[in-house]
């Protein structure tokens, strides 16, 4: 459909001279006229062509009059939207006017026609047609863009899945040779430790250190690629049981750092128990880890909002600069040199995946040097 095309108007009148005078009055480079001298001929034209902006039809015609023709036009699905203007001699009885509107007319004009009025009326319908077509084109374009977007996001999801499958297989298969490297280096250290010089011992330590770090990375990668696995079913889980399990797992680190962890009462929620433990554990252990001199104070709060469970885990640690608020959720993103704080930068990426699987969102609010609050939602419709 092209909006630059001429606007087609169908003129129907059994008097050829009336059609001619209509053509003269309406002469306009943007209009293209099709002409019919009977209702039957009009219907024949409309059978082949239905892209008309308007039909001007004389009421008094032999055989099929204007009203009957309009009635038949209105019965066709393809044609019923075309506006019709009835043209009639002024000696028509008023009930004929009523009959015209019943047949679905949009307007009625009494002959002899006043050129300015008919020109203005036709211009209104022509504009309406043009605008409607423009809208239709925009709608079609939008549909095309939407389809394209859908297609792209499906492709992206597919390639992400493939990548994750690859990461899983690769990291899984790397575990075994790495284990062998680490254990043989440890064996060499044990067996030949007394006969190697200080430099050699230092190098060995580097190798073992790098091996441990690689093991951490591989384990993280494996965990990450499993995070949206369907094998972790959603079930009714008691929020407080999750926290109790997390605090038991973190017992050593809480004691070592003299940390305090307070938490609100959390109701039963639908979620994957294993993943909830992993999520809370990652966030609480980060809250304990990313501090300088202060004793870690963690507060877990809960609120029910429309459609979601909202959780917040606040700490009094080093905080996060605003420009890193989104970056920290990317895989392998860390903000500090290795050695300053432990970790491989995968914990928050796993949290994000877990939350997405639970149809929620995760974000952080933070004041550098004062503390961070990690907030997340979980849908209550799982
Ligand atoms: P990791 O803890 O293994 O480094 P994460 O994915 O858990 O990885 O975190 C990514 C980075 O985000 C961290 O290296 C740290 O710089 C920052 N970060 C995470 N949690 C906190 C926190 N509670 N306070 C300050 N910084 C944090």
């Amino acid at each position: 459909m092209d909006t630059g095309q001429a606007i087609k108007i169908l003129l129907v009148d059994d008097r050829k001279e009336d059609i001619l005078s209509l053509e003269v009055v309406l002469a306009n480079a943007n209009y293209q006229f099709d002409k019919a001298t009977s209702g039957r001929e009009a219907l024949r034209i409309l059978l082949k062509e239905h892209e008309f902006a308007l039909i001007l039809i004389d009421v008094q015609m032999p055989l099929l009059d204007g009203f009957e023709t309009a009635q038949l036009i209105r019965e066709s699905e393809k044609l019923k939207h075309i506006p019709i203007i009835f043209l009639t001699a002024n000696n028509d009885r008023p009930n004929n006017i009523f009959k015209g509107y019943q047949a679905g007319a949009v307007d009625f004009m009494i002959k002899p026609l006043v050129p300015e009025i008919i020109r203005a009326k036709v211009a209104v319908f022509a504009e309406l047609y043009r605008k409607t077509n423009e809208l239709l084109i925009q709608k079609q374009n939008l549909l095309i863009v939407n389809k394209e977007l859908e297609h792209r996001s499906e492709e992206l999801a597919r390639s992400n899945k493939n990548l994750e499958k690859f990461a899983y297989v690769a990291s899984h298969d790397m575990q075994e040779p790495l284990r062998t490297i680490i254990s043989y280096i440890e064996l060499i250290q044990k067996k030949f430790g007394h006969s190697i010089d200080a430099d050699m011992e230092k190098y060995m330590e580097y190798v073992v250190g790098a091996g441990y770090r690689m093991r951490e990375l591989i384990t993280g990668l494996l965990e990450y690629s499993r995070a949206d696995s369907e094998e972790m079913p959603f079930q009714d889980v008691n929020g407080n049981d999750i926290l109790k399990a997390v605090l038991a797992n973190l017992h050593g680190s809480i004691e070592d750092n003299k940390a305090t962890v307070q938490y609100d009462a959390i109701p039963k929620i639908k979620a994957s128990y294993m993943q909830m433990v992993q999520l809370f554990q990652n966030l609480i252990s980060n809250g304990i880890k990313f501090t300088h001199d202060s004793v870690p104070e963690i507060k877990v709060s809960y609120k029910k909002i429309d459609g979601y469970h909202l959780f917040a885990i606040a700490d009094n640690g080093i905080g996060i600069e605003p420009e890193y608020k989104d970056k920290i959720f990317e895989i392998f993103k860390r903000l500090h040199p290795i050695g300053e704080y432990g970790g491989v930068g995968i914990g928050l990426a796993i949290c994000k995946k877990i939350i997405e699987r639970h149809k929620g969102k995760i974000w952080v609010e933070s004041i550098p040097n004062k503390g961070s609050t990690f907030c997340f939602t979980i849908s209550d419709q799982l």
Side-chain angles (χ1 to χ4, degrees), residues 102-149:
Q102 265 194 331
V106 185
D107 214 336
F108 219 96
M109 293 197 64
I110 314 271
K111 288 180 181 178
L113 303 168
V114 182
E116 287 74 24
I117 295 182
I118 181 101
R119 269 200 291 269
K121 287 206 169 180
V122 170
V124 168
F125 285 109
E127 185 59 13
L128 189 74
Y129 179 76
R130 203 179 57 74
K131 288 251 159 76
T132 311
N133 274 359
E134 254 177 30
L135 271 176
L136 267 175
I137 289 172
Q138 278 171 8
K139 199 171 143 195
Q140 277 168 358
N141 286 345
L142 258 175
L143 280 176
I144 293 171
V145 172
N146 270 351
K147 269 259 155 302
E148 179 69 12
L149 270 175

Side-chain angles (χ1 to χ4, degrees), residues 91-106:
N91 59 2
D92 262 353
R93 291 191 309 273
N95 70 337
N96 268 351
I97 293 180
F98 179 63
K99 204 171 144 194
Y101 279 96
Q102 265 194 331
V106 185

Side-chain angles (χ1 to χ4, degrees), residues 283 286-287 289-290 315 318-320 328 333-336 342-349 372 374:
L283 296 176
N286 276 353
K289 182 164 74 173
F290 293 103
D315 64 49
I318 58 173
I320 295 160
I328 52 169
K333 189 78 202 166
R334 310 174 67 253
L335 305 182
H336 309 279
V344 289
I346 226 168
L348 288 180
S372 312
F374 281 83

Side-chain angles (χ1 to χ4, degrees), residues 223-236:
E223 261 180 53
Y224 180 77
S225 42
R226 280 197 203 119
D228 54 5
S229 147
E230 302 297 319
E231 285 159 29
M232 321 244 197
F234 298 134
Q235 58 201 98
D236 281 335

Side-chain angles (χ1 to χ4, degrees), residues 216 282-291 313 315 317-320 324 327-336 341-351 364 366 371-374:
E216 231 183 309
N282 281 349
L283 296 176
I284 294 175
S285 66
N286 276 353
I288 297 173
K289 182 164 74 173
F290 293 103
T291 49
I313 297 178
D315 64 49
I318 58 173
I320 295 160
Y324 298 116
K327 289 224 165 54
I328 52 169
F329 294 99
E330 289 169 15
I331 188 163
F332 297 135
K333 189 78 202 166
R334 310 174 67 253
L335 305 182
H336 309 279
Y341 295 100
V344 289
I346 226 168
L348 288 180
I350 293 177
C351 291
V364 66
S366 177
S372 312
T373 303
F374 281 83

